[in-house]
Amino acid sequence: MIEEGSKSSKSMVEKRQLFMEMRAQNFDVIRLSTYRTACKLRFVQKRCNLHLVDVWNMIEAFRDNGLSTLDHNAEINVSRLETILSSIFYQLNKRLPTTHQINVEQSIGLLLNFIVATYDSEGHGKLTVFAMKAMLATMCGGKILDKLRYIFSQISDSNGVMVFAKFDQFLREVLKLPTAVFEGPSFGYTEHSVRTCFPQQKKILLNTFLDVLMADPPPQCLVWLPLMHRLANVENVFHPVECSYCRSESMMGFRYRCQQCHGYQLCQSCFWRGHASGPHSNQHQMKEHSSWKSPAKKLSHAISKSLGCMPIGEPPHPVFPEAAERPQDLAHTTTLESPSRLDEEHRLIARYAARLAAEASNSTQCPPTDLGFNFDANKQQRQLIAELENKNREILQEIQRLRLEHEQASQPTPEKAQQNPTLLAELRLLRHRKDELERRMSALQESRRELMVQLEGLMRLLKDEEQKQATQTGSSPHSSPSHSASCTMPMPIRSTSAGSTPTHTPQDCLAGVGDDVLDAFSQGVPRNLRNDLLVAADSITNTMSSLVKELHSVDDGLDDEEENMRNGRDKAESE
């Protein structure tokens, strides 16, 4: 009996621990109930480490624990709730770096006691599936837009129209959170809560739902919800401004500027507590600032706004197509394997990398048609990543295998050196023949080049002789052209057959060009040597063509011999 009593008292202490710590923060000194409620719920969120679990992780936990297939009014007991919370926080620790691990058991205990105190105050030991989804989706981390889209998918019909009865049920469950932190008189549920959000009975689609709940100001019963998210965004924002009341030289969090008192600014602590000094009064209108802009930025902003360079009245959220929102249960995403699997962390990395890539693309493009399309695209990306990883592993294995084979083949062995000596000898002969033909071709190319030079010199010589002959014929018709023939332009031509240096005589200029040319000049009557020289050039060209054909045949023979050697080696290796 004594042992049971001690356990019961310990359980009561654990249940009250979170509330005792919250009271120690002295949030009740905040004079505005909206800020007071948001601060208390933000404290619960951070103390239970729910701010580290975004809405997508929460939806996935619902699916992994089979809640997506249950009716909203189905009840679960506390032991199953504890199992669900355990999976959420253990998966969270796997995503966090080792230096930022959380105390899982403590987080489970604090959050479990808070949920039980909020939704099972009468001690039945059970709560509905919808209540747990609404509470965890509201209190987890992430963007308020994503949360509201998920909530709308849970309270709308198959046509994408909100069901008022389900929205009323959502308000009934979510407004238990302010009541749990002792703010029920300001934000408790009433029968008229739905009508305060949507005064007129009409067809509510997704965009209308988001317009109402993300408006400035939002519905009175939910005014604390967007403020809680703004608190999370400005916790580390620094303002280099002095507070007009406490004289602190810098501010963290929100900054409030009076719209009537020039230059009067308060830090969030002084504003929340209602402090005022000088001519300033708490009745003055204050503007809330969540960031700091330097005077230069303010001037640039004012100029841009006056010139019409900035859009006016931007919508508070993207406009989504008027299509039915699919329930975001992630039932069609990749199922996590058991914790014992070694590749579970790799699956997590791939999944969240795909999700981040999708979010990055969505930030520059229009939003998708619905969330189901987003998840289908993410699933395809994950499948593609897995296929590419498998293909990469196969390619690496193949590269390693080919590298080993190449190293083995490149090592000289006595068997390779002694393999097929006949083919090796023939191959050497063919290579020698090929080298000879290449040398002969080089010599013929040099001879052809020299012949072309000689031809050019002879053409000039013939032209000069014709001019001289015409001149002499006009002055002395009996003079012989052979007596006046001379080489006016010496041609330093090096012949491959004769190694001597040519002189400046006409006969030496004709050395090595053939008997027809010599006979033509020796007779003193210049013949039409152009055809003869062209014939000589054609003869050399034909010789080179035949030599090239022979060289190509030698190359083909070399290729055939090498192919035969490879085939013989492969055959020998296979045997």
Side-chain angles (χ1 to χ4, degrees), residues 6 14 51 57 72 120 186-187 363 397 411 529 555:
S6 61
E14 291 177 351
H51 67 295
N57 303 132
H72 283 175
D120 188 29
S186 300
F187 301 106
S363 63
Q397 293 175 358
Q411 293 177 358
L529 297 179
D555 289 337

Side-chain angles (χ1 to χ4, degrees), residues 184-453:
S186 300
F187 301 106
Y189 172 80
T190 63
E191 296 179 356
H192 305 288
S193 297
V194 176
R195 293 304 166 197
T196 60
C197 298
F198 302 99
Q200 299 178 357
Q201 180 76 24
K202 58 181 180 180
K203 183 179 179 180
I204 305 298
L205 299 176
L206 174 61
N207 290 317
T208 307
F209 180 79
L210 296 177
D211 289 340
V212 172
L213 269 66
M214 297 185 67
D216 188 16
Q220 181 59 32
C221 63
L222 293 173
V223 69
W224 52 270
L225 181 58
L227 179 57
M228 185 179 70
H229 290 79
R230 295 204 307 272
L231 281 173
N233 294 331
V234 302
E235 283 182 346
N236 298 318
V237 174
F238 175 77
H239 305 269
V241 181
E242 183 184 35
C243 178
S244 299
Y245 181 83
C246 67
R247 300 302 176 182
S248 175
E249 296 182 355
S250 61
M251 302 181 188
M252 295 293 292
F254 288 120
R255 174 171 54 91
Y256 298 88
R257 175 187 290 272
C258 182
Q259 301 299 295
Q260 299 181 23
C261 304
H262 177 71
Y264 193 90
Q265 301 188 82
L266 294 176
C267 63
Q268 68 178 20
S269 178
C270 293
F271 175 75
W272 289 354
R273 286 159 174 79
H275 295 160
S277 61
H280 177 71
S281 171
N282 290 332
Q283 304 302 321
H284 291 181
Q285 184 180 2
M286 302 290 286
K287 185 176 181 180
E288 181 183 277
H289 294 274
S290 58
S291 62
W292 162 255
K293 291 183 180 178
S294 63
K297 288 185 178 180
K298 290 180 182 179
L299 178 61
S300 175
H301 180 84
I303 294 174
S304 301
K305 189 174 182 179
S306 62
L307 296 176
C309 300
M310 297 182 60
I312 301 175
E314 295 184 356
H317 64 84
V319 179
F320 297 95
E322 299 295 345
E325 284 283 300
R326 300 180 183 179
Q328 302 178 15
D329 53 6
L330 298 181
H332 49 284
T333 58
T334 305
T335 305
L336 284 175
E337 303 292 339
S338 61
S340 60
R341 292 295 299 269
L342 296 178
D343 61 341
E344 181 180 342
E345 295 181 358
H346 298 285
R347 293 177 182 272
L348 283 171
I349 293 172
R351 177 165 58 254
Y352 292 113
R355 194 196 74 205
L356 291 175
E359 290 179 355
S361 62
N362 289 340
S363 63
T364 57
Q365 300 176 356
C366 293
T369 301
D370 51 24
L371 288 178
F373 182 82
N374 258 349
F375 295 142
D376 291 338
N378 290 341
K379 178 182 178 181
Q380 293 177 359
Q381 292 175 355
R382 287 191 295 272
Q383 291 177 351
L384 180 60
I385 290 173
E387 293 175 1
L388 292 176
E389 288 178 350
N390 294 332
K391 191 66 177 177
N392 185 42
R393 284 193 292 268
E394 294 177 0
I395 292 174
L396 291 177
Q397 293 175 358
E398 184 68 17
I399 291 174
Q400 184 66 20
R401 185 184 64 81
L402 293 175
R403 184 182 290 112
L404 292 175
E405 291 183 358
H406 177 71
E407 292 176 355
Q408 294 176 359
S410 61
Q411 293 177 358
T413 58
E415 291 80 4
K416 293 182 180 179
Q418 298 176 1
Q419 184 179 3
N420 209 340
T422 303
L423 291 176
L424 292 176
E426 293 179 359
L427 184 62
R428 282 194 294 270
L429 290 175
L430 287 173
R431 291 186 185 279
H432 181 67
R433 176 61 176 167
K434 179 181 178 181
D435 295 337
E436 290 182 353
L437 291 174
E438 288 178 350
R439 287 193 295 270
R440 184 180 174 187
M441 177 180 286
S442 300
L444 286 174
Q445 287 177 348
E446 183 67 20
S447 298
R448 187 185 182 195
R449 186 184 65 79
E450 293 176 354
L451 179 62
M452 293 297 103
V453 174

Side-chain angles (χ1 to χ4, degrees), residues 374-551:
N374 258 349
F375 295 142
D376 291 338
N378 290 341
K379 178 182 178 181
Q380 293 177 359
Q381 292 175 355
R382 287 191 295 272
Q383 291 177 351
L384 180 60
I385 290 173
E387 293 175 1
L388 292 176
E389 288 178 350
N390 294 332
K391 191 66 177 177
N392 185 42
R393 284 193 292 268
E394 294 177 0
I395 292 174
L396 291 177
Q397 293 175 358
E398 184 68 17
I399 291 174
Q400 184 66 20
R401 185 184 64 81
L402 293 175
R403 184 182 290 112
L404 292 175
E405 291 183 358
H406 177 71
E407 292 176 355
Q408 294 176 359
S410 61
Q411 293 177 358
T413 58
E415 291 80 4
K416 293 182 180 179
Q418 298 176 1
Q419 184 179 3
N420 209 340
T422 303
L423 291 176
L424 292 176
E426 293 179 359
L427 184 62
R428 282 194 294 270
L429 290 175
L430 287 173
R431 291 186 185 279
H432 181 67
R433 176 61 176 167
K434 179 181 178 181
D435 295 337
E436 290 182 353
L437 291 174
E438 288 178 350
R439 287 193 295 270
R440 184 180 174 187
M441 177 180 286
S442 300
L444 286 174
Q445 287 177 348
E446 183 67 20
S447 298
R448 187 185 182 195
R449 186 184 65 79
E450 293 176 354
L451 179 62
M452 293 297 103
V453 174
Q454 291 177 3
L455 177 61
E456 183 179 359
L458 289 174
M459 294 302 292
R460 286 197 300 269
L461 184 62
L462 288 174
K463 185 176 180 180
D464 294 340
E465 289 296 329
E466 289 176 358
Q467 292 178 354
K468 290 179 180 181
Q469 184 178 3
T471 303
Q472 293 176 1
T473 303
S475 60
S476 176
H478 300 286
S479 61
S480 174
S482 60
H483 296 160
S484 61
S486 62
C487 183
T488 59
M489 291 183 63
M491 301 295 293
I493 300 175
R494 179 178 61 84
S495 175
T496 55
S497 58
S500 61
T501 303
T503 62
H504 294 179
T505 63
Q507 296 298 329
D508 293 333
C509 292
L510 302 177
V513 297
D515 295 335
D516 293 335
V517 178
L518 293 175
D519 293 340
F521 279 93
S522 64
Q523 293 174 3
V525 180
R527 302 189 314 176
N528 187 8
L529 297 179
R530 182 173 302 187
N531 292 335
D532 296 336
L533 291 172
L534 293 175
V535 168
D538 291 339
S539 176
I540 293 178
T541 302
N542 294 332
T543 303
M544 290 184 66
S545 300
S546 62
L547 187 61
V548 169
K549 291 180 181 179
E550 185 175 357
L551 185 62

